Amino acid sequence: MKDNCNNNSDLIRYLKNGDTNAYAYLVDTYNHKLCLYANSLMNDIPASEDIVQNVFIKVWERRDNLKTNFSIKSYLYKSVYNACINEYKRNQSVTALEKKYIEELGRIVEDKDEDALEKLIGLVREAIQELPPKCKEVFLLSKKEGLTNIEIAEYLNISKNTIERHINIAFSKIRENVGNKTDIILFLLFGFRQNLRAE
């Protein structure tokens, strides 16, 4: 079955015919990758696993509607992405800025291959890890913990100007890796768990 399912059209044809072996192959092939992808969006492993499971269930329930001329892989990734965004909107009060970022994330998924978002997230995480220790600490306190510059200055017992300088350095380093998608990916990494706070 594995060899027969390597071809996208054949796999979809088997699924449409109700072949449970083809469905098992689909789940075995993509479940782990999709869970990692969903968790990169949600940062919540149980919720990510539930989303992926529901996507697979819907694929099976709606298998008659599958078209043999589209990529099942792209379809799965886009379905998981849409489910994550819907879950976020359901649990959060979405601001105008967040709505703008969510729409831009949708365009990234639409316009590029399904791994593009994952690659951008990886580049941002890599850039954060490579920051000087104090700069990294300040940046994560700001973006991950949601502290204001004044709160960070009091916590670390350093000046507000020093905090601002560290954050500016961090943004510059990250933009070297990601370019104009920096703000969007940072929102994805940190804003999906807490609203962005003004400094």
Side-chain angles (χ1 to χ4, degrees):
M1 173 57 68
K2 183 176 179 180
D3 292 337
N4 293 337
C5 289
N6 281 336
N7 181 281
N8 182 78
S9 297
D10 288 343
L11 175 57
I12 293 174
R13 181 163 50 82
Y14 288 130
L15 290 171
K16 287 171 72 69
N17 289 336
D19 192 318
T20 55
N21 289 325
Y23 181 68
Y25 171 83
L26 186 74
V27 174
D28 288 344
T29 302
Y30 292 109
N31 184 69
H32 181 64
K33 293 177 182 177
L34 290 173
C35 284
L36 290 176
Y37 176 62
N39 193 51
S40 73
L41 300 173
M42 301 293 294
N43 199 36
D44 183 332
I45 292 174
S48 300
E49 291 175 346
D50 286 344
I51 283 172
V52 172
Q53 183 180 32
N54 287 334
V55 165
F56 280 123
I57 289 170
K58 287 178 182 177
V59 167
W60 180 251
E61 290 176 344
R62 302 173 186 175
R63 61 189 181 277
D64 290 340
N65 297 327
L66 293 173
K67 307 294 183 185
T68 56
N69 60 348
F70 67 65
S71 167
I72 189 72
K73 179 181 177 183
S74 296
Y75 177 75
L76 289 171
Y77 272 87
K78 187 62 191 297
S79 296
V80 168
Y81 168 80
N82 286 337
C84 289
I85 295 300
N86 289 337
E87 183 70 15
Y88 175 69
K89 288 179 177 177
R90 189 160 44 245
N91 294 326
Q92 300 289 334
S93 174
V94 180
T95 67
L97 180 61
E98 289 174 325
K99 183 178 179 182
K100 174 186 173 185
Y101 286 162
I102 288 169
E103 289 171 352
E104 180 61 27
L105 286 167
R107 282 192 285 273
I108 293 173
V109 173
E110 284 283 359
D111 297 342
K112 299 183 179 181
D113 67 274
E114 56 275 354
D115 297 324
L117 204 52
E118 218 167 331
K119 290 174 184 175
L120 288 171
I121 291 168
L123 288 172
V124 169
R125 285 180 169 154
E126 183 180 311
I128 292 172
Q129 289 303 315
E130 291 175 353
L131 292 172
K134 183 59 70 175
C135 184
K136 177 182 174 183
E137 181 182 17
V138 168
F139 185 78
L140 289 177
L141 284 172
S142 173
K143 300 308 170 191
K144 186 175 182 180
E145 304 302 328
L147 300 182
T148 66
N149 288 353
I150 293 173
E151 288 170 336
I152 299 170
E154 291 175 353
Y155 177 69
L156 297 178
N157 196 29
I158 54 181
S159 72
K160 184 170 177 283
N161 287 340
T162 301
I163 298 299
E164 291 171 353
R165 187 167 66 252
H166 279 309
I167 291 175
N168 286 335
I169 290 170
F171 269 110
S172 296
K173 294 289 186 184
I174 294 169
R175 283 197 176 96
E176 287 177 10
N177 281 28
V178 186
N180 62 2
K181 297 289 190 292
T182 297
D183 291 341
I184 297 164
I185 302 304
L186 287 175
F187 164 72
L188 180 60
L189 285 173
F190 303 125
F192 266 41
R193 269 89 71 197
Q194 60 185 40
N195 289 332
L196 300 177
R197 293 178 58 181
E199 301 299 349

